[in-house]
Amino acid sequence: MTSLPPQGVAGQPGAADHPGTDPKGNAPAADDLPADGLPATGPPPAELSPADLPPPVARAAPHVSRPGLRLVAVPLAVTLGLLAVAALGTGLVGRFGAAESPEARAFTSLLEFDLWSALVGASIALYAAVAYAMSYAVHRRWRQPIDRPAPRAVAVLVAGAVVLLGAVFGILRFFTPPGSVPVPLDGLAWRIPLLLVLGMLAAAPGAVGLWDVQVRLLRLSRRLPTEPDVLAPVGALRELHRGWRDAVRFLTGGSLIISTAVVDAGALRNALLAYGVPEKTFPASSVLLYGAFFSVMFALVFLPVVVLWRSVAGRLVEATVRIPEADELTEDWVERRARLVAFLRLDVSLPKVLAPAFGILAPLATGVVSLFLPGGAR
């Protein structure tokens, strides 16, 4: 026979099973309760830390730990670092040795010039932030050894980025040679090219990342089956989703760089107009065409990626939910296919899909189109 648990009053379990009762099983009086109205059950538990928990529990319960000094200091250091880069850019590109001649001193004394030099510094800080973000995205893509391209492939990607930057720089220098816009600023021969080179270097990781996405899509396209009874490879949908997410991230970074360059050009034009330069020397259409040129060059890198992505996504849908015969269509098949098409955004037009990233360049695109409409140049 098994022994029964100790019984209290009226057959209830003993006080040992109810730590909030006295030895007779009675509840404590209201005056004896603590301020929170709950009976005291012993000393309060010690504060937990991840070291006191098993590894799975520690990973699943991050709220038991407090952020350390490093986690608090890193965001603050990043912000202060970007402010320092902005100040350095303002002083180096905008003001260092810029007012040695009388014309330059008169130009640099304008409020519009102060605004332009401040925007130049902010642009350089933005270039640094975007370059780091896109470089980190490329690093994440190459984190696993199986995803990392061969050293020769990396060299080809980097060489392609260098050739692209050189082509952009050469085209701009050909159509806008030094002295085409009379800017009364000493050292102009190296200031504008330096700012241009910094912007292109910031966009280079994005170009490398887009090309890497395209290479991975081509590799996935070769793995997709063409036979009717062969299933799609495992992880194909996940790889497609990751490729699209990274491509839009690289597009957003490039859009930020282009829009910043257009703002800088517009601020320089306002400063020149305030100085007295005739408007026909630096028309507003020049600023719009300047940004349109960068948009076209970046689109030449991005559009092949997105066209290939949608093609591979369509092939994945056909391989996963194949079209049956007419008499075999069921509601379940229609629902499965519609769900996969909606997840891959194949039922949405391309402009709507790219709206979050291309929205940054929407005013620029509208202004460029207006130049070619009747009366748009007036």
Side-chain angles (χ1 to χ4, degrees):
M1 297 179 60
T2 58
S3 60
L4 296 176
Q7 300 295 317
V9 179
Q12 297 296 326
D17 295 332
H18 286 270
T21 58
D22 57 14
K24 296 182 179 181
N26 298 322
D31 296 339
D32 298 332
L33 293 175
D36 57 2
L38 297 176
T41 59
E47 185 177 357
L48 294 176
S49 65
D52 302 327
L53 300 174
V57 180
R59 288 193 297 266
H63 59 277
V64 301
S65 63
R66 296 180 179 178
L69 177 62
R70 185 169 63 90
L71 294 180
V72 175
V74 166
L76 179 61
V78 170
T79 302
L80 295 178
L82 291 178
L83 289 176
V85 171
L88 182 62
T90 301
L92 177 63
V93 180
R95 295 189 171 275
F96 177 72
E100 297 180 358
S101 62
E103 296 81 5
R105 283 194 292 270
F107 181 61
T108 55
S109 64
L110 297 174
L111 179 61
E112 289 80 1
F113 174 80
D114 294 336
L115 176 60
W116 174 77
S117 60
L119 286 175
V120 165
S123 300
I124 295 176
L126 178 66
Y127 294 162
V130 171
Y132 173 79
M134 291 196 288
S135 300
Y136 181 74
V138 173
H139 171 72
R140 293 278 297 178
R141 291 186 58 82
W142 296 349
R143 182 176 53 179
Q144 301 296 334
I146 192 175
D147 298 331
R148 199 173 304 152
R152 290 184 179 179
V154 176
V156 171
L157 291 177
V158 174
V162 172
V163 172
L164 178 63
L165 299 184
V168 171
F169 188 81
I171 294 174
L172 284 178
R173 297 294 285 181
F174 177 78
F175 286 101
T176 57
S180 58
V181 178
V183 180
L185 197 65
D186 295 328
L188 186 67
W190 64 267
R191 297 180 193 278
I192 301 301
L194 176 61
L195 185 61
L196 181 62
V197 168
L198 290 177
M200 291 190 299
L201 288 177
V208 172
L210 286 173
W211 285 330
D212 181 67
V213 172
Q214 190 172 6
V215 171
R216 297 278 291 274
L217 288 175
L218 289 173
R219 187 169 62 183
L220 176 61
S221 177
R222 295 173 182 174
R223 293 166 50 202
L224 290 178
T226 56
E227 296 79 6
D229 297 330
V230 180
L231 298 177
V234 178
L237 182 61
R238 189 182 305 111
E239 186 171 347
L240 264 178
H241 176 69
R242 179 188 176 192
W244 180 259
R245 180 194 60 193
D246 291 343
V248 172
R249 180 180 298 139
F250 295 135
L251 171 64
T252 304
S255 301
L256 286 172
I257 294 174
I258 295 172
S259 59
T260 302
V262 174
V263 170
D264 291 343
L268 179 60
R269 178 179 180 271
N270 290 337
L272 291 174
L273 295 180
Y275 179 72
V277 174
E279 186 175 358
K280 62 180 181 180
T281 305
F282 198 168
S285 58
S286 300
V287 178
L288 295 176
L289 292 175
Y290 178 74
F293 169 75
F294 283 108
S295 300
V296 170
M297 295 301 295
F298 197 77
L300 292 178
V301 181
F302 178 76
L303 288 182
V305 177
V306 68
V307 171
L308 178 61
W309 188 93
R310 290 176 73 90
S311 174
V312 176
R315 288 186 55 194
L316 178 63
V317 172
E318 297 298 331
T320 305
V321 191
R322 297 186 182 276
I323 299 179
E325 298 297 332
D327 56 348
E328 297 178 354
L329 288 176
T330 61
E331 294 183 359
D332 178 66
W333 179 90
V334 173
E335 182 180 355
R336 289 175 56 211
R337 187 178 179 89
R339 185 166 58 246
L340 184 57
V341 168
F343 177 78
L344 294 173
R345 294 175 290 273
L346 294 177
D347 57 340
V348 182
S349 63
L350 187 59
K352 290 184 179 180
V353 173
L354 300 178
F358 270 133
I360 302 174
L361 301 177
L364 171 63
T366 304
V368 172
V369 171
S370 68
L371 294 176
F372 301 98
L373 297 178
R378 297 178 184 176

